[in-house]
């Protein structure tokens, strides 16, 4: 319960911090004249079929179209990695000097960390997917609310899965440098995950 509360608080806090100079996709207008896929911020999204699509998007318009589109694209690449496990998307999104500021115990630092985490989690949940439920872009920061889903058919911490459903949230904050993501902070709803897996925390 505490982890779920933390996730909800994080979403509310981030949304509140962006309350000035933003436009959301739910009511996106381009100066009041355009709607649909060509309206801001929908037009920033790369609709390539291989990339995850944000379910909702909020963008600080003051950073300009080019920078905003760059950051949205980096987010789509990063979370396509988490959605598929394919390293090429991670390599396209993060700098070789990438740093995880909330590094879990046992996970390597740098870009090898997400690869390690994805591989190990997919050993437990082979059909893992990552939904980019909310994407917020402001300045040089990307904030995302993610929903991970799948079925526990592999093994985790010595426990063999029986096909249990997995469905839990995470919050990421990514810091974008000149061309790629250079560092991040993240929190996962591990209490819900471990309960679903039937594993003691």
């Amino acid at each position: 319960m505490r982890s779920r509360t933390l996730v909800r608080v994080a979403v509310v806090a981030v949304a509140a911090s962006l309350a000035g100079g933003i436009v959301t996709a739910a009511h996106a207008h381009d100066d009041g004249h355009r709607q649909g896929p060509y309206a801001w911020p929908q037009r920033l999204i790369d609709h390539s079929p291989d990339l995850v699509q944000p379910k909702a998007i909020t963008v600080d318009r003051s950073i300009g179209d080019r920078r905003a589109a760059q950051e949205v694209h980096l987010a789509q690449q990063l979370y396509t990695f988490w959605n598929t496990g394919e390293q090429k998307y991670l390599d396209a999104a993060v700098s070789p000097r990438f740093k995880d500021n909330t590094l879990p115990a046992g996970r390597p630092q740098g870009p090898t960390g997400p690869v390690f985490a994805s591989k190990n989690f997919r050993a437990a949940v082979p059909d893992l997917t990552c939904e980019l439920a909310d994407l917020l872009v402001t300045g040089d920061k990307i904030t995302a609310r993610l929903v991970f889903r799948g079925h526990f058919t592999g093994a985790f911490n010595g426990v063999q899965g029986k096909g249990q459903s997995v469905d839990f949230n995470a919050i990421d904050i990514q810091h974008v440098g000149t061309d790629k993501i250079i560092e991040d902070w993240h929190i996962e709803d591990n209490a819900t995950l471990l309960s679903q897996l039937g594993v003691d925390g």
Side-chain angles (χ1 to χ4, degrees):
M1 180 63 72
R2 177 175 169 78
S3 294
R4 287 183 179 177
T5 301
L6 285 173
V7 168
R8 284 194 293 268
V9 168
V11 171
V12 171
V14 169
S17 72
L18 298 175
I22 59 172
V23 183
T24 64
H27 302 285
H29 297 267
D30 188 1
D31 298 325
H33 300 294
R34 288 185 180 177
Q35 295 183 348
Y38 298 106
W40 177 286
Q42 288 286 358
R43 69 175 184 230
L44 304 173
I45 299 171
D46 184 337
H47 293 283
S48 300
D50 62 318
L51 295 177
V52 296
Q53 304 294 307
K55 299 294 183 183
I57 181 170
T58 303
V59 179
D60 174 5
R61 192 161 192 165
S62 71
I63 65 176
D65 286 40
R66 185 173 181 178
R67 177 68 176 190
Q70 175 195 30
E71 294 188 25
V72 170
H73 191 246
L74 287 171
Q76 289 185 264
Q77 290 174 314
L78 177 62
Y79 298 116
T80 298
F81 161 72
W82 286 110
N83 188 56
T84 64
E86 295 185 35
Q87 187 174 340
K88 65 180 182 180
Y89 296 109
L90 179 73
D91 293 342
V94 305
S95 164
R97 299 180 300 280
F98 170 80
K99 179 183 178 184
D100 184 342
N101 291 297
T102 45
L103 188 70
R107 184 183 300 184
Q109 184 56 271
T112 57
V115 175
F116 175 89
S118 175
K119 181 179 179 181
N120 281 284
F121 196 55
R122 285 180 181 278
V125 185
D127 64 344
L128 183 70
T129 62
C130 175
E131 175 185 299
L132 182 49
D134 285 290
L135 177 62
L136 298 89
V137 176
T138 179
D140 59 359
K141 298 291 194 307
I142 297 166
T143 302
R145 181 175 68 86
L146 312 169
V147 183
F148 290 93
R149 298 186 179 95
H151 298 86
F152 182 27
T153 56
F156 183 81
N157 281 3
V159 176
Q160 178 61 47
K162 299 177 181 178
Q164 304 99 306
S165 293
V166 169
D167 188 331
F168 70 100
N169 283 266
I171 300 290
D172 279 1
I173 300 175
Q174 308 289 340
H175 179 196
V176 181
T178 304
D179 58 352
K180 291 189 176 184
I181 295 166
I182 56 174
E183 61 180 338
D184 79 346
W185 300 261
H186 54 92
I187 182 170
E188 294 80 27
D189 188 358
N190 288 321
T192 294
L193 171 62
L194 294 175
S195 175
Q196 292 170 350
L197 297 180
V199 177
D200 292 332

